[in-house]
Amino acid sequence: MKTLDVLICTFNKGIVRVGELLREPMEGVQYIVSYQYNDERYLDLIPEVFSERDDVVLFEHRGQGLSANRNLALEKSKADLYMFADDDERFTAETFQTIFDTFDANPDIDVAFFTATTYTGKPLKNYPTEEFLMNGMPQTYDISTIEMVCRSSVKQKVRFDERFGLGAQFLTCGEEEIWMYDAAKAGLTMRFFPKKTVETSTLLKRRMIFVDAGVQRSYGAQEYYRRGSKAYLSCLHFALRAAGKRQCHFWPMMKHLAEGIRYMQKTR
């Protein structure tokens, strides 16, 4: 029988919500809670339920940054499969069996992508209705980390770039896009399955690209990661097009895009 590690990444007060995420114990399923904090007073918030369950393991780290936290959790995973979870996420009664059945029926895949809904059952995105192989970020929707489940071998090939993501110093999103780029470059076999595995209240920050400077910097950084110096030209086209549609003002947008590019040049 396969085993699955659920890697729950949380920060400061978010730890109090993690207890609500845990399902009834299931053979083969373990929860690894990677808890970041920036003040020791937050350690008093750790739920007692963690010490009452044999299937929950807690690791504490002083610091912040979601991508760094995910990589820390990944270091602790020993199961055949792993998936990431946020502290505002919920699993259904069928989640883990759906995952096990999918990998049993598809022994050739490295990564499976599933679907998510809000707590009220509304699809989080406009997902495809049919299975398909993925060789990068899909054209019709953007993937989220909470939708994917990986075989253990994947962690030897792809990690999260810690310059990107919530809590990072300068680039506040974009870690999934970079992960997908690296996964495709590594030759991973990835497949989408139109099956729901999680419920969440997550706000998709990348949709705020026309109003949020951090998202704009992240976009510029992503372009540089993929295109090198050609990123300046692609970002120029993006800013001109968006300004032409009155979605933003050109100069502030271009300024932030360029900041993201220069940041990548300095930190590579």
Side-chain angles (χ1 to χ4, degrees), residues 245-259:
K245 295 179 180 178
R246 299 184 181 276
Q247 295 170 316
C248 67
H249 295 290
F250 172 76
W251 286 114
M253 170 67 82
M254 192 62 211
K255 172 179 178 289
H256 296 140
L257 294 172
E259 286 174 347

Side-chain angles (χ1 to χ4, degrees), residues 66-77:
L66 181 56
S67 289
N69 205 6
R70 287 170 175 163
N71 287 338
L72 287 167
L74 199 53
E75 290 289 343
K76 309 300 181 181
S77 177

Side-chain angles (χ1 to χ4, degrees), residues 89-132:
E89 190 176 323
R90 302 292 181 269
F91 301 118
T92 71
E94 296 80 25
T95 292
F96 302 134
Q97 195 60 55
T98 294
I99 290 169
F100 287 135
D101 290 346
T102 299
F103 275 85
D104 284 342
N106 297 269
D108 58 322
I109 62 172
D110 298 304
V111 187
F113 286 90
F114 298 97
T115 70
T117 71
T118 64
Y119 297 144
T120 59
K122 180 181 178 181
L124 195 62
K125 307 163 190 173
N126 185 24
Y127 294 105
T129 58
E130 302 291 335
E131 294 181 16
F132 68 96

Side-chain angles (χ1 to χ4, degrees), residues 1 11 25 30 60 155 162 188 233 259:
M1 178 181 178
F11 176 68
Q30 176 180 241
E60 303 161 6
K155 66 181 180 180
E162 296 180 13
L188 299 184
L233 184 59
E259 286 174 347

Side-chain angles (χ1 to χ4, degrees), residues 53-244:
R53 292 185 52 157
D54 295 333
D55 59 343
V56 179
V57 183
L58 173 67
F59 296 97
E60 303 161 6
H61 315 275
R62 189 167 189 132
Q64 70 179 62
L66 181 56
S67 289
N69 205 6
R70 287 170 175 163
N71 287 338
L72 287 167
L74 199 53
E75 290 289 343
K76 309 300 181 181
S77 177
K78 306 297 182 185
D80 301 316
L81 308 171
Y82 64 86
M83 65 186 298
F84 292 96
D86 297 332
D87 54 41
D88 63 347
E89 190 176 323
R90 302 292 181 269
F91 301 118
T92 71
E94 296 80 25
T95 292
F96 302 134
Q97 195 60 55
T98 294
I99 290 169
F100 287 135
D101 290 346
T102 299
F103 275 85
D104 284 342
N106 297 269
D108 58 322
I109 62 172
D110 298 304
V111 187
F113 286 90
F114 298 97
T115 70
T117 71
T118 64
Y119 297 144
T120 59
K122 180 181 178 181
L124 195 62
K125 307 163 190 173
N126 185 24
Y127 294 105
T129 58
E130 302 291 335
E131 294 181 16
F132 68 96
L133 282 171
M134 304 168 72
N135 56 9
M137 188 65 78
Q139 298 296 314
T140 56
Y141 82 103
D142 293 327
I143 64 98
S144 297
T145 304
I146 62 172
E147 299 161 350
M148 70 184 191
V149 182
C150 305
R151 291 193 190 275
S152 60
S153 56
V154 171
K155 66 181 180 180
Q156 306 301 329
K157 301 176 181 179
V158 186
R159 299 291 179 100
F160 285 94
D161 190 318
E162 296 180 13
R163 293 172 294 184
F164 292 83
L166 189 66
Q169 180 181 7
F170 200 64
L171 308 175
T172 58
C173 66
E175 71 275 18
E176 281 109 350
E177 286 83 354
I178 298 300
W179 191 96
M180 282 294 288
Y181 178 84
D182 289 343
K185 191 174 179 180
L188 299 184
T189 301
M190 302 179 284
R191 192 171 188 87
F192 169 80
F193 299 90
K195 305 173 184 179
K196 172 183 171 179
T197 53
V198 298
E199 298 175 350
T200 182
S201 62
T202 300
L203 172 66
L204 301 179
K205 191 166 186 180
R206 65 180 67 88
R207 293 179 180 174
M208 301 173 65
I209 190 167
F210 300 116
V211 297
D212 188 292
V215 178
Q216 293 164 8
R217 289 193 297 265
S218 299
Y219 182 87
Q222 292 168 50
E223 286 295 286
Y224 182 80
Y225 193 90
R226 291 189 292 255
R227 304 174 188 272
S229 59
K230 294 180 181 178
Y232 280 106
L233 184 59
S234 65
C235 285
L236 175 63
H237 288 165
F238 178 81
L240 285 171
R241 188 164 57 249

